[in-house]
Amino acid sequence: MANEDFNSMAARLPDPFRLLVRAHSGSTNDELRLLAEAGTEEGLVLLAENQTAGRGRRGAAWFSSPGESLAFSVLLRPEEPKAWWPRLALATGLAVAEALESFGLEAGIKWPNDIWIRQRKVAGILVESGKDFVIIGIGLNINTLAFPPEIAEAATSLHLEVGRPFLRPDVLGVILHCLSSRRFQIGSEFGALLDAVRLRCVLTGHRVSLLSSNSLKIGWVEGISSAGELILRTQSGIERLIQADEIRLQPL
Ligand code: BTN
């Protein structure tokens, strides 16, 4: 889209964020990991206009349409204990949802951190860590109008939802502003972060099927625990899940 000026947005980013735009990258998470291991300071945001080998969770491929989506990774070097770093996945999902809300969209969080609009996925987040750093990869469909057949049913974009194109630098800038405050809520303020996630959780109150430790579970989602786990009521009782794959809403 014309008039997409990443430079002027980049000049207004909150500390410590700074933007590096690449025309091409295999995976921005992989490329940023190399930079992190070489000692790059925290706050670098690496964005690829054309990401050719994007990775999703569980080794899946991530599709981003060149020039129409956002595919970027953020390098953090959190001071909080490493045990809390996985909470950044929830913080990031919340930041993305809040950013979309600021554009008038009703975004839901499909625990732990897929972003849904009207039951279709608009954004995915891949958080990976190294010895002394975390890389937060975010893929967001902005102006994509057609998806590959295998994800066409499940995916959406901001343009498809609202019926008009969005300026990608504007969306990126707001996400980073939201992340710049939510990232610090993984410690003593985790309760407040969770309350904001709970308000947006699209699974609560629904019957779901999911895979956890390779076993299929079906149950009702009761909510999110104070540790950020998904609370699932199954026939055998209440289970608290740290992670789960392929969560699907089930018909009642
Ligand atoms: C998922 O929902 O499975 C997570 C998708 C994460 C995709 C982003 S795009 C930018 C960054 N680079 C990658 O290779 N993956 C993440």
Side-chain angles (χ1 to χ4, degrees):
M1 204 183 149
N3 296 324
E4 286 198 306
D5 181 4
F6 280 104
N7 288 331
S8 63
M9 177 277 295
R12 297 190 305 271
L13 285 177
D15 261 3
F17 294 134
R18 56 207 187 276
L19 181 66
L20 176 61
V21 178
R22 289 254 200 268
H24 300 273
S25 174
S27 155
T28 55
N29 265 37
D30 293 345
E31 201 170 335
L32 193 54
R33 173 179 287 273
L34 294 178
L35 294 171
E37 286 169 350
T40 300
E41 283 178 26
E42 85 149 3
L44 185 64
V45 178
L46 179 67
L47 178 138
E49 285 287 12
N50 183 10
Q51 181 174 251
T52 52
R55 294 187 292 106
R57 293 168 61 224
R58 308 184 301 273
W62 177 260
F63 166 81
S64 1
S65 45
E68 296 178 330
S69 52
L70 286 174
F72 65 99
S73 302
V74 182
L75 171 61
L76 297 182
R77 296 187 182 276
E79 288 181 358
E80 291 87 353
K82 214 167 175 177
W84 291 346
W85 292 6
R87 297 175 175 184
L88 285 166
L90 290 171
T92 305
L94 178 59
V96 174
E98 289 177 320
L100 298 187
E101 287 163 12
S102 79
F103 290 94
L105 289 138
E106 204 171 304
I109 299 173
K110 183 187 174 218
W111 180 94
N113 56 7
D114 281 354
I115 305 302
W116 270 14
I117 299 178
R118 294 193 299 139
Q119 297 204 7
R120 286 176 184 240
K121 181 164 170 171
V122 71
I125 292 161
L126 179 65
V127 177
E128 299 178 311
S129 60
K131 189 167 154 278
D132 55 2
F133 62 85
V134 176
I135 290 175
I136 298 174
I138 302 176
L140 172 58
N141 305 320
I142 307 261
N143 294 322
T144 314
L145 293 176
F147 289 93
E150 59 277 16
I151 57 168
E153 288 283 295
T156 192
S157 69
L158 303 188
H159 191 157
L160 283 173
E161 291 301 320
V162 178
R164 67 159 178 92
F166 284 73
L167 290 168
R168 292 175 304 145
D170 291 355
V171 181
L172 176 61
V174 180
I175 291 173
L176 293 172
H177 273 90
C178 294
L179 185 60
S180 73
S181 51
R182 290 297 186 186
R183 63 170 287 207
F184 292 115
Q185 292 190 301
I186 61 171
S188 59
E189 291 179 42
F190 191 50
L193 180 114
L194 282 178
D195 283 343
V197 171
R198 287 185 184 112
L199 281 176
R200 296 165 174 84
C201 179
V202 297
L203 299 179
T204 301
H206 288 273
R207 192 164 174 267
V208 299
S209 68
L210 54 82
L211 284 177
S212 176
S213 310
N214 278 334
S215 84
L216 177 70
K217 296 180 191 297
I218 296 182
W220 291 86
V221 174
E222 299 226 320
I224 297 174
S225 76
S226 56
E229 307 138 315
L230 192 73
I231 306 173
L232 187 71
R233 180 162 45 85
T234 68
Q235 278 189 327
S236 31
I238 292 288
E239 303 197 28
R240 290 180 162 73
L241 308 174
I242 306 171
Q243 64 130 42
D245 297 336
E246 294 185 37
I247 307 179
R248 296 201 176 146
L249 291 179
Q250 292 294 298
L252 300 182

